[in-house]
Each structure stands twice: as C-alpha cells, then as structure tokens.
Amino acid sequence: MNFWTKVAGLILRNRYLVLIGIAIITGLLATQMKYMKFSYTEANLLPENHEANIEYNKFLEIFGEEGNLVILGIKDSTIFEPKKFNAWNNLVKEFENLEEIAFTISISDVQKLEKDTKNRRFVLEPLFEKNPTSTAEVNAIKKQLFEKLPFYDNLLYNKETGTLQTAIYIKKDIINTPSRRDFIFNNLIPIVEKFEKENNVNVRISGMPYIRTLNSQNIQDEILLFVVGALLITAIIFFFFFRSFRATFITLLVVIIGVTWAFGFIGWFRYEITVLSALIPPLIIVIGVPNAVFLINKYQQEIKKHGNQAKSLQRVISKVGNATLMTNITTASGFATFVFVKSNLLREFGILASVNIISIFILALLIIPIIYSFMPLPKKKHLNHLEKRWIESVVNWMEKTVKEQRIGIYFATVFLIIFGIIGIYQIRVSGSLIEDMPKSLEFYKDIKFFENEFGGIMPLEILIDTKKDKGVMKLSTLKKMEKINETIESFSELSKSVSITNLVKYSKQAYYKGNPKYYQLPTSQEESYIFSYTKNSNSNSSMLNSYVDSTGRYARLTTFMKDVGSDKMDVIQERLKNVIHKEFPSDKYEVSVTGKALIFIKGTNYLIKNLVFSLSLAIVLISLFMAWMFRSPQMILISLLPNMLPLLITAGLMGFFDIPIKPSTILVFSIAFGISVDDTIHFLAKYRQELIANKWRIKPSVYAALRETGVSMFYTSIVLFFGFLVFTLSSFGGTIALGGLVSVTLLLAMVSNLLLLPSLLLTFEKKIANKKVFKEPAIKIIPTEEKANKK
C-alpha cells in the first residue's frame, strides 16, 4: 500500500473532520483580512542598504520628505478676467486653512523683494493688496509678474504660454499615511471640481501625492475586476469543457476559498497591497482551476471505466495527487525564486505566491474528492466530453504531425529560435515611473500637461554638502551651483532648477531697485554689501529653510523631470556628474544626485539583474528536480528545450512590439516557466509509465502518452490562456503586458510540449531507450498499476 493510497484513505475516512478543519482555517484567515492595507509609498525596488537608498535617506533626514507637492495648473486666456482671476486666488486660500496643508504658493502669495535703504535690509511687499476690479488692473499685475519677476518664472507661470501654476505643499508627516488619501478625495478634488463648474474652466492637478493616491485607488478598484473576471472566464471555459454545473460549482468553491486564503495571508503577514501583490488572488484562481481539471477529469475517467465511486475517489487522490503535487511544487518554485531577490516588493510577492499555490493544491485535493463522495454518481451526459469528437481530432492532428512532420517541427523550431534572438537585441529597458499608468485617465493627461508647460513633475534632487557650517553662502559655492543650474537648463527633459542661487539672484535684483536685468549672482565686489542687506532681513527665511539647512552646511537643488526612461536618465546623470566632479572637488564637497524618480529608475535596473538571476535559479532548480525525478541527465536537456523555446519567442515578441523590460513584464518569464514545466512533467511521467508497459519500445510509448495527456494539457492550457488574458482588462500598461505575454507564452509552451517534446523523444530514442539511462524515477508520479487498467 503506497503513501498516496494511505492519504486517500485518511482523507475519505475523516471527511467531516477535514471539512470542519478547512472551515475553521478559512474563518481564521478571513479575520486577518482586516489587516490588509494599501501601500501609501512608492515601491522601493532597491535593498535598504543600497548606496542610492542611503543617499536618499540622508537627504530626507536633512530636508524631509520631498514628494509633498501638489500642483494646480490652468491654461485659459479667460483666467485674466477680473472675476476669474480673483476666484483663482481665492481657491488657494481655501486650501491654506486646511490642517493637512503646510503652505501654498500662488500669485496671491507673490511677494516682491524691496530694498529698505534706511535700515540696510530687504523687505517683502505683496504684489497686490486688494483684489483687482478691472481688466487693466489684472493686466498690470500680469505684466509685472511676467516681465519684472523672473524669480517666479516656471514656478508660478509660463511666460510663453500664459499658463498659471499654484503649488500646495502637504504637511510632510501625513504624506505616507491614509490622511493623504482623505485630503485628496475629500478636499482637493471636490474643491477643484466646484471651482471648475463655477468658472467654466479646466484645472489640471498633478504632483506625486496626487498621482500616488489615484494610482493606489486604481489598484484597489482593479483587484475586484480581476477576481470577478478570472472567476467568470474560468467558470465559463470549465463548463464548456465539462458541461457539468456540479463540476463547475465544486471548482468555483475551491478557488473562492483559495482567494479568501490569499487575502487572509496578505493580512496575516501584514504585507501592504502593491501592484504585484494585487495580482495574487486572480493568479490563484487561474492556477487553481487546472488542478481541478486534472482531478475531476481523472474521477470521471475512473467512473466511466468501472462505475465504482469509492474506488474512483481513492484513485483520484492516489494517482493524480502525486503528479499535481509535483506540478504545483515546480510552479511554486518558479515564484519562490523571487524570495532570493533583495527587493522587499518581490520577496513578498514570491512568498505570497508560493504559499498560496501550495494552499490551493491542498484545498483542491481535499475538497474535490470529499464533495463528490456526498454526491450521486455522474450521469452519462457528464462523461460525454471524454469522447468529444473535436478534442479527438485535435489529438489525432498532434499525433499525425509528430509522426509525419518531424523535420518541419525542427525547421519551425530553428526559425523561431532565430526570430527570438533577433527580437532580444531590440528589447529596451524602461525605468519610467508613469509609463504603466492608465493613459486614458485624466490624471495621466495632466502629467503630460505639466511636462509640456513646466518641464515635469517628478523631483530630482541634488544634495550639496560643503563640509563646513555656513559654507553654502560663500560666493564661490553659489557660482559652482550656478554651473549645475546651467547644465540642467540645457536638458529639455528637466525643468528650471530651484535653489538658494535663485534667492541670491533675486536679492541682487532687489538691490538694484527691482531691475530684472540684474537677476544674476553678485560679483565679488557686490557680495559684501548685498549680503549685509540679506543678513539684516528675516523676510526670506522661510524660503531659505527649504533649500539650505539651519547650519548653512547643506544645500539642495531641485529640478523636476519629465518621464524619461533608463537610457535617457543615464545620459543626464553622466553629464551632471561630469559638471559636479569638475566644479566640486571631492576633498572639499560631497555631492549626491537623488530623488524618488531616480531611485525608481535605479531600482528597475537592479531588479532586472536580480530577475535574470531568479529565472536562472528557477531553471536550475527545476532541472535538478527533473533529474531527481527521472534519474536521467539526457531527460533534462530534452525537457528544458520545449520550455525554453516559448520564453525565447516571448522575449523576441517584446523586442519586435517594443514592450520594454520593466518590473511588471520581467515577471512573465519566471511565471510562465514555472507553469509550462507542469505540462512536461505530466507528459514525461505518463511516457515513462508507457515505456514499462510497452517493454521499452519508444514509438508506441510516445504516442500513447501523447493521446493520454494531450486532452488534459489542452484543457489546462486553454484555461490558463484565458485566465491570464483577464489581466489585459487592466488600465495599467504593465499588467496588460504581463497578462498578454504570459497567455501567449503558455499557449506556445503547450504547442511546444505536445509537438516538440514527443519529436525529440522519438529522434533521440537510441540514446534514451535503454533502462540504464531512464532509471526508475525517485518518485512514482503515476502508479504502475494503471497500466493494468488500461489494457
């Protein structure tokens, strides 16, 4: 009596206890769902101790959170009508009074820096004190702002297009908390919508807090879409194949419990829901249904054979249990390789996916036989699908192709390998923060609007450490910083930078009675008397604090960048670093380039290296697993080629269709490889068993294995294909690409395993046909007694 027969007896004898146990565990995991929370920060793909993270954390320690800016923009000539102009300024005042807001900068806040000769200091005076009542008054304000105050250019207005911008700074301590979400949805959006309605204008909103909030809301909305979509599509296909409400209901029950467990595990492990972990519940549905296909198919085959329910249920567990365990372990190990990546985001995804894949297998193995044990025998109509003509003709076509077109199969394989290799050379890497965001939604269009008008919304920070107190305010340091400003202005992808130099230039302009041609750094002769005015002034200290720390040792230089990919960012960084090395000798200064967007780009590159490692690890692990199962080194090569080929074709397609390598699309390879190897295991296990039955004659064994496993492989591949296609309903570019690419890869893997694998076995029959090469496997995947039943 083998192990699985004992397991079958144990499950069926204690069926009430097993069901009560599952109900208790499901209930406990359901209580953990309340701990699920959505991520309020960007995904940090780099490990904590990575140099880029250390630099960024140092910046945050000195200047605090940098992604706290929400911007409002308006491009409408009617805004300069008195009524609308005053309404625009009053809009900002509404925000100023909210507790979540640190401060705002808008036209109504504009202060002119004036020279107070009597007290030898600079004083701030408002640009206008009372609301203008005529168009002439508004035009006078506009003229003064656009022509006399270059300090505010690109900060509050675009001189060329007449676009106005307002900056709202959220308090730094709430930026990564649920309060940010409440502010965006309960205050910001309703107030702006009301203003738009009243004034018949279109206001653009952007900035990292806004984008992140709308993005995470989108992820939240899509989880439900994916879960319902995956349940619906797999149920329809399942019913189409089995034509049985009973079988479809049992399968849905298993996956719904599986999804409850998946959400429960996310809460229990206290993980945040990210773009990746949001894919786990639908993934579990898609991977769980093939388990049900194999188990229910086997049960119905057994019933058709001998009509004995108890014997059939026992055989379902003892015969298919082992094969499905092996296939689930290989799928889980494909995901588990992410655990070895140093990125928390991926590690959490790997842990959740592998735990849930094994859970759904256990659930299917326990629930399906137990529920069938309470039900009457399937009727003849439920077994008709086993004799379907169309599936018979598909299997016949495969057998005929393998028999007669083997050379054609190899030619096609070589052609596809060449196609894949050419495509791989055209793949590009994307480190874009917003490329995956829903392009049809308003907030994506707003991002593009601010990129065109003000040069971007993603902050890039340069932190300058002068290594001595008050080192920033030395004229030599300011001149060096101005060189960086000039370099930044030469890039169309970066906005004009904001730093202490802008304020010093404004001071010189104020010293010369506000003449805009003096908006420049002072000369060494002017330095002492302009700076003496500055020292006596307290009026510009709040702005100073944002760009110089309290000791005067550290300065920051902020620019905003457009959504550039990794390649362009490398060029920008290289040129900036050249200027920094030239102007700031490392013995006197320490300068680092940092910021959220840069961390994301570096994270993407880091991730790609790690995912290549995790895919290689998955291939090695699964190869060792094959070698251990079949005890044959030749079988490793024969089994890997049909599974590597689809990955190569997919990579080629990515190159030809310009789908870049990014965190979302690189997962395709590990997921698809882990799942496609399942077909190979099923086929080879059956083939090995047929070899023994056919006294080591290869040909009849290959064809018998193809006929036997072809149907189940075809069913499961179709379910997986349409199941992953559900992800293409997403509005995120990365999730659409992930769904489409995995679907295509799995379909290719099915064709490859049903045509190329048998062809290879037939071609190399002399090398693998002896018992020495193909020894008794380490695990009896399919018990040998089955051959007796077949005869």
Side-chain angles (χ1 to χ4, degrees):
M1 196 175 181
N2 79 358
F3 168 74
W4 282 99
T5 314
K6 286 178 191 165
V7 169
L10 204 65
I11 292 170
L12 294 167
R13 275 196 305 275
N14 302 297
R15 55 188 187 173
Y16 288 105
L17 277 175
V18 171
L19 289 179
I20 291 165
I22 290 172
I24 291 169
I25 294 169
T26 307
L28 289 172
L29 283 170
T31 63
Q32 296 296 309
M33 282 161 69
K34 63 174 177 282
Y35 297 111
M36 288 193 321
K37 55 182 185 294
F38 284 86
S39 174
Y40 286 100
T41 55
E42 266 96 32
N44 193 342
L45 306 170
L46 293 169
E48 283 300 312
N49 58 356
H50 192 279
E51 183 196 4
N53 263 341
I54 293 167
E55 286 177 353
Y56 184 59
N57 289 333
K58 183 184 175 184
F59 170 84
L60 292 183
E61 265 172 50
I62 300 164
F63 289 107
E65 175 64 49
E66 36 105 42
N68 65 329
L69 168 67
V70 172
I71 42 180
L72 307 180
I74 190 161
K75 186 180 185 179
D76 191 323
S77 56
T78 65
I79 196 68
F80 295 104
E81 291 169 5
K83 182 175 167 284
K84 287 187 185 176
F85 185 75
N86 293 330
W88 175 252
N89 292 327
N90 292 334
L91 173 69
V92 187
K93 291 195 174 70
E94 277 193 65
F95 291 115
E96 274 175 3
N97 305 324
L98 296 170
E99 58 176 338
E100 296 95 342
I101 302 305
F103 62 96
T104 61
I105 304 175
S106 73
I107 292 177
S108 61
D109 301 314
V110 169
Q111 305 271 316
K112 288 189 295 179
L113 205 56
E114 300 281 359
K115 179 181 174 186
D116 176 359
T117 317
K118 188 181 170 192
N119 297 308
R120 294 182 63 78
R121 63 175 187 169
F122 294 120
V123 289
L124 285 172
E125 290 184 1
L127 181 62
F128 57 95
E129 284 179 2
K130 61 179 200 303
N131 285 344
T133 53
S134 66
T135 311
E137 284 177 37
V138 177
N139 286 340
I141 293 168
K142 182 182 172 186
K143 187 177 182 192
Q144 191 151 15
L145 186 66
F146 282 32
E147 293 174 17
K148 299 282 170 64
L149 297 172
F151 177 80
Y152 293 103
D153 186 18
N154 213 62
L155 198 64
L156 291 180
Y157 64 87
N158 178 332
K159 200 157 56 178
E160 273 77 49
T161 60
T163 305
L164 298 182
Q165 180 172 262
T166 286
I168 300 167
Y169 288 86
I170 298 176
K171 283 182 182 161
K172 290 176 179 178
D173 52 353
I174 70 150
I175 205 70
N176 293 325
T177 69
S179 307
R180 180 192 82 205
R181 186 187 177 282
D182 297 340
F183 163 70
I184 300 285
F185 285 117
N186 301 337
N187 293 317
L188 179 73
I189 295 172
I191 291 172
V192 169
E193 282 177 351
K194 182 172 165 253
F195 172 82
E196 286 180 319
K197 206 171 173 185
E198 286 171 1
N199 294 282
N200 194 26
V201 288
N202 180 19
V203 176
R204 310 288 194 150
I205 314 175
S206 203
M208 293 314 288
Y210 177 75
I211 292 169
R212 282 156 57 185
T213 305
L214 266 68
N215 217 20
S216 59
Q217 185 59 39
N218 238 28
I219 294 169
Q220 228 167 314
D221 298 342
E222 286 194 354
I223 289 186
L224 188 66
L225 172 79
F226 289 155
V227 169
V228 173
L231 278 173
L232 205 64
I233 202 155
T234 47
I236 290 167
I237 296 162
F238 197 89
F239 183 76
F240 174 74
F241 284 149
F242 284 91
R243 299 292 162 95
S244 158
F245 284 111
R246 188 191 299 174
T248 309
F249 165 75
I250 293 170
T251 306
L252 285 179
L253 180 70
V254 171
V255 293
I256 288 168
I257 294 172
V259 168
T260 309
W261 282 31
F263 282 126
F265 281 127
I266 294 174
W268 186 26
F269 297 157
R270 303 294 189 270
Y271 289 164
E272 291 184 331
I273 292 182
T274 59
V275 179
L276 285 185
S277 56
L279 302 179
I280 298 278
L283 201 64
I284 295 311
I285 296 170
V286 171
I287 291 170
V289 170
N291 287 335
V293 169
F294 277 108
L295 292 164
I296 293 172
N297 215 18
K298 182 67 188 166
Y299 173 64
Q300 294 185 346
Q301 279 173 354
E302 289 290 329
I303 289 288
K304 193 179 173 201
K305 214 176 280 177
H306 50 70
N308 182 330
Q309 189 178 36
K311 190 176 172 187
S312 300
L313 290 169
Q314 193 185 26
R315 285 199 172 162
V316 165
I317 299 170
S318 61
K319 304 246 173 99
V320 185
N322 218 342
T324 42
L325 174 66
M326 293 304 110
T327 55
N328 279 281
I329 285 175
T330 51
T331 304
S333 60
F335 285 97
T337 52
F338 295 138
V339 175
F340 301 103
V341 176
K342 286 177 186 157
S343 155
N344 273 345
L345 183 80
L346 273 171
R347 192 181 294 135
E348 288 178 8
F349 178 69
I351 291 168
L352 281 172
S354 36
V355 166
N356 280 300
I357 286 164
I358 300 300
S359 303
I360 194 89
F361 159 71
I362 294 167
L363 285 170
L365 193 70
L366 296 175
I367 293 172
I368 291 172
I370 288 176
I371 291 188
Y372 269 119
S373 74
F374 289 110
M375 289 183 164
L377 283 175
K379 295 186 175 70
K380 189 177 182 301
K381 66 175 181 180
H382 295 143
L383 307 178
N384 285 344
H385 74 95
L386 298 170
E387 295 167 353
K388 276 209 188 107
R389 289 291 155 84
W390 67 272
I391 197 85
E392 188 72 21
S393 56
V394 170
V395 175
N396 286 339
W397 175 80
M398 287 189 261
E399 193 176 326
K400 190 165 180 276
T401 310
V402 171
K403 249 180 205 163
E404 297 166 11
Q405 308 287 331
R406 218 172 308 150
I407 300 297
I409 291 171
Y410 293 145
F411 269 123
T413 303
V414 171
F415 169 76
L416 290 169
I417 288 170
I418 294 165
F419 165 86
I421 291 167
I422 294 168
I424 283 172
Y425 280 101
Q426 296 178 41
I427 287 185
R428 66 184 175 89
V429 174
S430 159
S432 158
L433 249 177
I434 64 166
E435 184 174 37
D436 280 351
M437 289 180 187
K439 295 184 173 45
S440 57
L441 293 189
E442 205 55 46
F443 81 92
Y444 184 84
K445 292 171 187 163
D446 288 353
I447 292 170
K448 290 294 171 198
F449 169 82
F450 284 104
E451 281 190 357
N452 293 332
E453 294 293 328
F454 296 100
I457 46 118
M458 287 178 284
L460 183 70
E461 302 281 356
I462 298 171
L463 178 66
I464 298 158
D465 176 4
T466 61
K467 297 189 179 176
K468 47 181 177 284
D469 290 355
K470 299 201 171 122
V472 172
M473 293 309 287
K474 279 181 145 181
L475 188 60
S476 56
T477 308
L478 295 169
K479 283 183 173 169
K480 290 174 189 295
M481 286 173 72
E482 191 58 16
K483 283 274 190 278
I484 300 180
N485 286 336
E486 286 164 13
T487 309
I488 286 170
E489 282 195 30
S490 69
F491 285 107
S492 60
E493 295 83 5
L494 300 176
S495 71
K496 282 184 185 170
S497 59
V498 184
S499 69
I500 183 63
T501 59
N502 300 51
L503 210 52
V504 173
K505 289 194 266 187
Y506 193 16
S507 301
K508 179 173 173 177
Q509 183 190 347
Y511 187 83
Y512 288 103
K513 296 182 179 159
N515 187 337
K517 77 170 188 183
Y518 289 104
Y519 183 72
Q520 54 187 239
L521 286 179
T523 61
S524 44
Q525 288 88 356
E526 297 164 325
E527 178 192 6
S528 57
Y529 43 87
I530 289 176
F531 279 5
S532 68
Y533 269 69
T534 311
K535 279 182 193 124
N536 296 334
S537 314
N538 57 5
S539 46
N540 50 18
S541 59
S542 65
M543 194 146 205
L544 197 68
N545 293 343
S546 300
Y547 292 97
V548 181
D549 80 315
S550 54
T551 63
R553 173 180 167 172
Y554 295 98
R556 79 190 265 199
L557 203 147
T558 305
T559 174
F560 291 90
M561 57 191 255
K562 289 183 180 173
D563 180 40
V564 293
S566 308
D567 300 347
K568 191 74 193 168
M569 194 61 226
D570 290 343
V571 174
I572 293 171
Q573 247 188 300
E574 198 54 44
R575 267 185 52 192
L576 280 174
K577 281 192 171 156
N578 288 342
V579 175
I580 289 165
H581 286 312
K582 188 179 165 197
E583 297 295 331
F584 293 91
S586 55
D587 54 330
K588 291 180 184 170
Y589 300 93
E590 202 176 298
V591 183
S592 57
V593 181
T594 187
K596 278 259 160 63
L598 191 66
I599 295 282
F600 187 83
I601 289 171
K602 285 187 172 174
T604 304
N605 294 335
Y606 175 83
L607 194 64
I608 286 158
K609 289 180 193 136
N610 272 275
L611 285 169
V612 169
F613 163 75
S614 80
L615 179 62
S616 316
L617 189 64
I619 292 167
V620 170
L621 276 178
I622 290 167
S623 306
L624 292 172
F625 195 56
M626 294 279 201
W628 179 68
M629 274 194 326
F630 296 109
R631 303 287 174 91
S632 160
Q634 284 95 327
M635 290 310 293
I636 297 176
L637 291 171
I638 285 173
S639 62
L640 279 186
L641 184 61
N643 292 300
M644 296 297 285
L645 182 65
L647 300 188
L648 189 65
I649 300 167
T650 303
L653 288 171
M654 285 173 72
F656 286 118
F657 287 104
D658 195 33
I659 300 168
I661 290 271
K662 51 189 167 185
S664 44
T665 53
I666 197 144
L667 296 174
V668 168
F669 300 103
S670 297
I671 292 174
F673 184 75
I675 296 174
S676 67
V677 169
D678 297 357
D679 284 349
T680 311
I681 291 173
H682 275 291
F683 185 90
L684 290 179
K686 187 69 199 158
Y687 164 68
R688 205 203 156 282
Q689 183 202 317
E690 292 293 338
L691 268 181
I692 299 163
N694 290 301
K695 299 190 172 55
W696 298 91
R697 283 175 313 167
I698 295 266
K699 273 185 185 146
S701 305
V702 169
Y703 296 132
L706 187 60
R707 298 199 74 77
E708 182 83 5
T709 54
V711 178
S712 282
M713 278 157 75
F714 183 76
Y715 279 6
T716 52
S717 296
I718 297 297
V719 170
L720 287 165
F721 174 77
F722 284 106
F724 275 101
L725 271 188
V726 168
F727 292 133
T728 58
L729 298 173
S730 172
S731 51
F732 289 92
T735 314
I736 294 169
L738 176 81
L741 290 168
V742 172
S743 293
V744 169
T745 312
L746 292 178
L747 210 56
L748 291 166
M750 176 192 75
V751 174
S752 185
N753 274 309
L754 289 174
L755 295 179
L756 182 59
L757 180 60
S759 302
L760 288 169
L761 288 169
L762 290 169
T763 302
F764 295 103
E765 62 178 300
K766 300 282 183 292
K767 291 214 168 68
I768 57 172
N770 61 64
K771 294 176 195 176
K772 287 190 195 101
V773 169
F774 209 176
K775 292 176 195 156
E776 189 66 24
I779 299 176
K780 281 191 177 170
I781 296 174
I782 301 177
T784 45
E785 59 166 300
E786 183 157 331
K787 69 180 187 285
N789 295 325
K790 281 200 64 159
K791 285 181 179 176

